């Protein structure tokens, strides 16, 4: 596997230095106002010249990103390209290790396939080529779940705290991560049982996460020179101040929304993103890794500023659950919907923005198809995750009868 993995990473490195990087960098499907590398460069420039980047309305990255890219990573082209390629390689490595922890093995023939599915997923490598910081978030999500699968609580909670600072909706993963730390990553879909630990054991882990999160918030405040960064970064997901088109479902709705109703629907959309956490964790308490997988799909479908890498991570995670494949109802339909959306998104965006022969309805229609594709995959895997246990019981019953 080592040679093939190195070859895949080398190929990605070559692509990182191709003209594709400049062509894709400002694509609205690959970078959002919260993950755009161009906006990050603008913020770093202002910060280095003594101007508060949060005083305006365009810079929405975390102060952690601001301090990292203004002090450690040079502004030239080569270091960011190498960094993003390395992050993608680390993400693939983390995904493979999650599979090994779930299967309780050291190595398997499936490792290369899992890494290839991640590295060759266009929803993953195109945002990476565009230098979207969603690649950083994707890698941190994988590292969080990898450390949790290994039982490394401090590393997992610290990584999740950093991730939540970069992208606040990721804090919804806290509950399944806590459950995963108190149980194990092995597949228990076929034998659902009540959660084996008392939830009171979550309290020390929750305190540890809170301390890490608050410490990072104080450090960010020192970097930014005040508390104003919270409104521009965390507040953006609740207030939706920037309606730049993206593959999500929020921007067009609030473009057409009367200001009088805006606060109500902002609250409704924000609560809608959070209401799935507890039900999924209760239903899949016997397999917290699967609950985390489903929550990744919900975030990729319903978060306010998604990019292609958000559903891309959910689709890459599918390779970790082969036991669900026989129980999927409409995999072909879901795959065709994703192919349809993948072709429509750039086409309708070009018709609207590039040639001016279309309008916003064209692009939003393609995002609705994309949302339908994501929702179809999510529902199919909720069904399959529940159906595994019933299928195993029936198979056991048939064998017994025979």
């Amino acid at each position: 596997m080592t040679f093939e993995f190195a070859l895949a990473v080398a190929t990605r490195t070559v692509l990182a230095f191709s003209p594709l990087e400049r062509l894709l960098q400002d694509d609205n499907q690959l970078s959002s106002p919260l993950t755009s590398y161009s906006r990050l460069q603008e913020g770093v420039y202002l910060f280095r010249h003594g101007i508060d980047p949060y005083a305006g309305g365009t810079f929405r990255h975390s102060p952690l990103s601001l301090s990292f890219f203004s002090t450690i990573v040079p502004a030239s082209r080569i270091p960011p390209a190498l960094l993003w390629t390395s992050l993608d390689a680390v993400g693939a490595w983390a995904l493979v290790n999650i599979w090994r922890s779930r299967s309780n093995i050291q190595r398997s023939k499936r490792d290369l396939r899992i890494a290839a599915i991640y590295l060759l997923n266009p929803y993953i490598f195109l945002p990476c080529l565009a230098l979207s910081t969603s690649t950083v978030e994707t890698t941190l999500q994988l590292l969080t779940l990898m450390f949790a699968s290994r039982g490394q609580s401090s590393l997992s909670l610290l990584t999740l705290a950093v991730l939540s600072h970069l992208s606040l909706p990721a804090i919804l993963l806290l509950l399944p991560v806590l459950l995963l730390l108190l149980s194990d990553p092995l597949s228990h879909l076929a034998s659902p049982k009540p959660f084996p630990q008392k939830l009171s054991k979550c309290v020390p882990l929750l305190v540890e996460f809170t301390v890490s999160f608050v410490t990072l918030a104080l450090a960010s405040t020192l970097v930014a020179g005040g508390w104003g960064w919270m409104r521009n970064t965390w507040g953006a997901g609740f207030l939706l101040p920037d309606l730049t088109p993206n593959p999500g479902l929020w921007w067009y709705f609030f473009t057409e929304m009367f200001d009088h109703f805006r606060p109500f629907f902002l609250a409704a959309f924000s609560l809608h993103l959070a209401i799935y956490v507890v039900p999924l964790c209760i239903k899949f308490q016997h397999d917290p890794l699967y609950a985390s997988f489903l929550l990744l799909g919900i975030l990729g479908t319903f978060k306010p500023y998604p990019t292609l890498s958000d559903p891309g991570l959910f689709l890459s995670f599918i390779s970790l659950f082969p036991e669900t494949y026989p129980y999927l109802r409409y995999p072909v339909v879901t795959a065709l919907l994703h192919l349809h959306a993948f072709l429509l998104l750039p086409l309708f965006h070009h018709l609207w923005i590039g040639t001016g022969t279309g309008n916003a309805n064209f692009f939003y229609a393609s995002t609705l198809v994309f949302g339908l594709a994501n929702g179809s995959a999510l529902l199919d895997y909720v069904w399959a995750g529940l159906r595994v246990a019933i299928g195993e019981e029936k198979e056991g019953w048939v064998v017994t009868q025979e």
Side-chain angles (χ1 to χ4, degrees):
M1 174 192 171
T2 304
F3 172 75
E4 291 86 351
F5 185 77
L7 181 62
V9 174
T11 304
R12 295 291 300 278
T13 305
V14 172
L15 288 174
F17 292 101
S18 69
L20 282 174
E21 182 258 319
R22 296 188 181 278
L23 292 174
L24 300 175
Q25 194 171 107
D26 296 317
D27 192 303
N28 293 336
Q29 304 152 68
L30 309 178
S31 300
S32 71
L34 277 64
T35 63
S36 169
Y37 185 69
S38 299
R39 297 198 184 202
L40 178 60
Q41 286 180 307
E42 180 181 350
V44 169
Y45 177 85
L46 294 173
F47 183 71
R48 285 176 173 172
H49 287 78
I51 303 173
D52 182 9
Y54 297 104
T58 58
F59 185 72
R60 305 196 180 278
H61 290 75
S62 167
L64 298 180
S65 299
L66 182 65
S67 58
F68 180 79
F69 286 97
S70 61
T71 57
I72 298 176
V73 179
S76 60
R77 182 186 178 191
I78 295 177
L82 292 176
L83 175 62
W84 259 257
T85 304
S86 301
L87 287 170
D88 235 14
V90 171
W93 169 79
L95 190 63
V96 170
N97 278 279
I98 295 172
W99 161 253
R100 290 174 177 174
S101 297
R102 185 168 179 80
S103 305
N104 197 22
I105 55 176
Q106 295 297 322
R107 190 182 298 271
S108 73
K109 295 180 179 179
R110 193 178 176 84
D111 293 352
L112 180 59
R113 188 185 309 171
I114 292 173
I117 288 173
Y118 182 82
L119 290 172
L120 301 179
N121 186 342
Y123 290 167
I124 296 294
F125 74 74
L126 288 176
C128 178
L129 293 179
L131 299 182
S132 171
T133 56
S134 59
T135 299
V136 181
E137 298 167 11
T138 299
T139 302
L140 289 174
Q141 285 173 326
L142 287 167
L143 289 174
T144 297
L145 294 175
M146 185 193 76
F147 291 137
S149 299
R150 291 178 168 184
Q152 298 171 297
S153 59
S154 296
L155 286 174
S156 178
L157 295 174
L158 177 60
T159 308
L160 181 59
V162 175
L163 171 62
S164 301
H165 269 269
L166 300 182
S167 176
L168 191 60
I171 203 171
L172 298 179
L173 292 173
L174 177 59
L175 181 55
V177 167
L178 292 177
L179 298 180
L180 184 57
L181 287 170
L182 293 176
S183 58
D184 62 72
L186 302 178
S187 177
H188 298 290
L189 292 176
S191 55
K193 297 178 181 178
F195 188 69
Q197 303 285 344
K198 292 183 178 179
L199 290 181
S200 59
K201 294 185 177 181
C202 287
V203 174
L205 298 175
L206 185 59
V207 170
E208 184 177 354
F209 172 81
T210 304
V211 170
S212 299
F213 189 83
V214 171
T215 301
L216 289 172
L218 294 176
S220 298
T221 303
L222 290 176
V223 171
W227 300 95
W229 63 273
M230 289 188 179
R231 181 180 178 86
N232 276 30
T233 55
W234 296 348
F238 297 103
L239 302 176
L240 211 73
D242 194 319
L243 296 176
T244 301
N246 58 66
L249 303 173
W250 289 47
W251 67 273
Y252 187 82
F253 186 87
F254 285 97
T255 298
E256 302 295 326
M257 177 61 58
F258 290 109
D259 288 341
H260 179 71
F261 300 106
R262 185 180 172 90
F264 169 76
F265 281 101
L266 282 173
F269 273 54
S270 299
L271 288 174
H272 176 261
L273 190 62
I275 60 175
Y276 299 98
V277 178
V278 174
L280 282 177
C281 288
I282 292 175
K283 193 63 180 177
F284 292 98
Q285 58 185 289
H286 53 283
D287 200 328
L289 184 61
Y290 200 79
S292 303
F293 159 66
L294 295 177
L295 281 174
L296 289 176
I298 288 170
L299 287 172
T301 305
F302 297 116
K303 69 187 295 187
Y305 288 102
T307 63
L308 292 184
S309 62
D310 294 298
L313 178 59
F314 172 74
L315 296 177
S316 296
F317 248 88
I318 289 173
S319 60
L320 303 187
F321 308 103
E323 68 270 28
T324 62
Y325 297 169
Y327 303 99
L328 296 174
R329 290 179 297 175
Y330 311 114
V332 175
V333 175
T334 301
L336 291 176
L337 278 171
H338 267 288
L339 177 61
H340 189 53
F342 185 71
L343 297 175
L344 282 183
L345 281 168
L347 175 62
F348 282 1
H349 185 270
H350 178 70
L351 288 175
W352 175 30
I353 303 297
T355 64
T357 55
N359 54 40
N361 295 324
F362 280 56
F363 184 65
Y364 190 60
S366 62
T367 64
L368 290 177
V369 175
F370 189 54
L372 180 62
N374 294 326
S376 175
L378 183 61
L379 289 175
D380 223 1
Y381 274 91
V382 171
W383 166 267
L386 297 173
R387 191 69 175 78
V388 168
I390 301 174
E392 292 294 329
E393 288 177 5
K394 284 188 174 182
E395 288 178 11
W397 181 82
V398 171
V399 171
T400 304
Q401 294 300 311
E402 290 178 354

